[in-house]
Amino acid sequence: MKNDILISIIVPVYNVDKYLSQCLNSLIISNMEEIEIILVDDGSTDRSGIICDEFANKYSFINVIHKRNEGLSSARNDGIKSARGKWISLIDSDDLVVKGYLNIIKKIVHYSNYDIFMFKHRNFEDKYGCFPSKLFFDKTKLFSLSKDKAMLSLITNTFGNYAWNKIYNKKLFQTIKYPVGKGYEDIYTTYLLYAEASKIAVYDEQLYFYRQRSTSIVYESEINKKVKLFKDRYDALKRQSIFFKENYPYVYKKDKSNVVKAALILTTYVEIFNQPKDDIYKSALELILNCKLSIRQLGFKNIFLVEGRRHLKNIYLYSIRILLKDKVKYKK
């Protein structure tokens, strides 16, 4: 059978029954030729899996993978492995895209000498909702980006490390996978995809709407998970920083402060909550103790915190503990 799929939309799904239908309805357009949507139900315990099946029964271009819960990276990897399209778009199942998103990216990917296209996004708060307008493809907003500038864009808020505001040639994933069991999987992966890409382009328009959900209070029972996320974030940023240092020194200089900030958060939480002091913690602590960044590089607030941690550890930890007292319940 001839493969006539141009674009595969991968949507990992886990316990988002409140948002999933809205997400999928924002994707679907009148002409879905050359497009498939793959829903990867990652062991949902709410109605998300049922909603996936309802959409698949209604639309022939939607396929569903039901799997045991293994996390976002595993769901993405399984979706990409099953994809038949030349191009991959990764969508989070609680987010939205602009009306006409698929019409636009169908035109974008016909500029086939590129391997990655990136575009802008907008955050919106869950409580206020979002009502995307309709956009049409505009060739004048599509332009090439040098590899240096593309790498620099990874550490900016405009484009960032995010997986979902980019379109990828599927061949990039032949050797690159999202790291199963890790948080901040985008930081671990996106710079590697950029390195593998031959050419990268920007479409200078907001096509994606990222939902910011209100956060709940962090309890003692959740501290282990939170610290693990902080460890993953520091580890991912450190790996990326090493890559920049070896290949893109200018970007490395701009990125060093992000690694220091991540190290400061990680070491602070480990020490306040008596978490295991493993090799990742020791690496972060060494970075803090040997930090030589200036106020201009790190900012006054962060320099103050770093110096407090280095020279007044007990006072520093006591002060942070007081600041967190309303957010964390301690075991008696």
Side-chain angles (χ1 to χ4, degrees):
M1 180 178 177
K2 183 179 178 181
N3 182 0
D4 57 354
I5 300 298
L6 177 66
I7 302 168
S8 296
I9 310 295
I10 314 298
V11 186
V13 175
Y14 181 71
N15 288 356
V16 286
D17 58 2
K18 181 180 177 181
Y19 308 107
L20 182 56
S21 294
Q22 187 183 14
C23 171
L24 296 179
N25 285 326
S26 76
L27 280 167
I28 296 170
I29 57 177
S30 57
N31 180 10
M32 293 293 290
E33 290 182 6
E34 301 182 297
I35 297 172
E36 66 174 352
I37 297 177
I38 300 174
L39 307 179
V40 186
D41 173 27
D42 189 37
S44 296
T45 57
D46 63 1
R47 294 191 69 257
S48 296
I50 296 172
I51 295 172
C52 288
D53 291 335
E54 290 174 349
F55 270 84
N57 290 332
K58 185 176 181 180
Y59 299 105
S60 61
F61 51 81
I62 294 181
N63 299 306
V64 181
I65 299 173
H66 293 286
K67 63 189 293 294
R68 66 175 182 172
N69 178 247
E70 293 179 301
L72 178 58
S73 287
S74 176
R76 282 179 178 170
N77 291 338
D78 285 353
I80 292 168
K81 183 178 179 180
S82 299
R84 294 180 291 150
K86 177 182 177 182
W87 296 93
I88 300 291
S89 173
L90 298 164
I91 304 292
D92 282 0
S93 52
D94 54 350
D95 294 338
L96 304 172
V97 294
V98 70
K99 292 180 181 177
Y101 171 76
L102 291 181
N103 285 326
I104 292 172
I105 67 171
K106 280 169 72 173
K107 293 183 181 296
I108 287 175
V109 299
H110 281 296
Y111 292 84
S112 56
N113 55 330
Y114 296 97
D115 284 330
I116 296 176
F117 298 89
M118 67 179 85
F119 43 84
K120 294 178 180 177
H121 72 283
R122 192 178 82 194
N123 298 336
F124 72 97
E125 292 188 37
D126 188 19
K127 62 182 178 181
Y128 296 125
C130 180
F131 307 95
S133 57
K134 188 168 186 176
L135 293 179
F136 299 91
F137 176 70
D138 182 350
K139 184 180 177 181
T140 64
K141 294 187 177 183
L142 182 65
F143 55 91
S144 182
L145 205 62
S146 70
K147 192 66 78 77
D148 285 44
K149 288 185 177 179
M151 291 295 179
L152 184 61
S153 76
L154 291 173
I155 62 174
T156 68
N157 291 328
T158 304
F159 298 106
N161 297 88
Y162 321 115
W164 33 254
N165 66 333
K166 300 167 182 71
I167 310 163
Y168 310 89
N169 192 318
K170 187 186 176 183
K171 70 180 182 181
L172 300 177
F173 293 99
Q174 290 177 355
T175 57
I176 299 171
K177 311 295 180 188
Y178 286 98
V180 177
K182 297 287 187 181
Y184 292 95
E185 50 284 309
D186 295 357
I187 301 177
Y188 276 104
T189 310
T190 307
Y191 74 92
L192 297 175
L193 293 167
Y194 277 30
E196 190 70 18
S198 58
K199 292 182 69 178
I200 300 172
V202 168
Y203 187 71
D204 191 19
E205 190 65 87
Q206 289 180 346
L207 302 184
Y208 195 93
F209 296 85
Y210 177 79
R211 187 187 303 271
Q212 294 180 307
R213 298 199 224 175
S214 56
T215 56
S216 59
I217 296 175
V218 180
Y219 292 95
E220 175 70 12
S221 61
E222 296 175 328
I223 289 300
N224 292 345
K225 293 180 180 179
K226 195 167 187 69
V227 169
K228 182 189 179 303
L229 283 174
F230 289 149
K231 287 182 178 180
D232 288 345
R233 183 170 185 267
Y234 167 75
D235 183 48
L237 286 170
K238 185 71 180 296
R239 290 169 185 260
Q240 177 182 261
S241 181
I242 292 171
F243 171 82
F244 287 156
K245 184 177 182 179
E246 294 173 350
N247 299 280
Y248 299 91
Y250 174 75
V251 182
Y252 168 71
K253 291 179 181 178
K254 295 283 187 179
D255 184 53
K256 284 196 293 185
S257 63
N258 292 324
V259 185
V260 172
K261 293 173 189 176
L264 185 62
I265 293 172
L266 167 58
T267 54
T268 299
Y269 267 77
V270 166
E271 290 163 358
I272 286 178
F273 298 108
N274 298 315
Q275 295 295 299
K277 296 179 178 180
D278 58 11
D279 289 341
I280 295 178
Y281 161 82
K282 292 175 183 177
S283 169
L285 181 61
E286 182 180 3
L287 184 65
I288 294 295
L289 296 179
N290 295 292
C291 177
K292 296 180 180 179
L293 296 183
S294 65
I295 292 178
R296 184 171 177 270
Q297 292 172 300
L298 199 55
F300 179 80
K301 176 184 175 181
N302 290 302
I303 282 289
F304 178 79
L305 293 172
V306 168
E307 292 302 317
R309 171 59 186 80
R310 287 204 291 200
H311 303 295
L312 299 167
K313 175 182 175 181
N314 292 335
I315 295 175
Y316 167 80
L317 293 177
Y318 175 79
S319 301
I320 298 298
R321 188 178 288 112
I322 293 298
L323 291 174
L324 291 174
K325 71 176 182 178
D326 294 329
K327 297 181 180 181
V328 179
K329 289 187 177 181
Y330 298 91
K331 290 181 179 179
K332 301 295 185 180

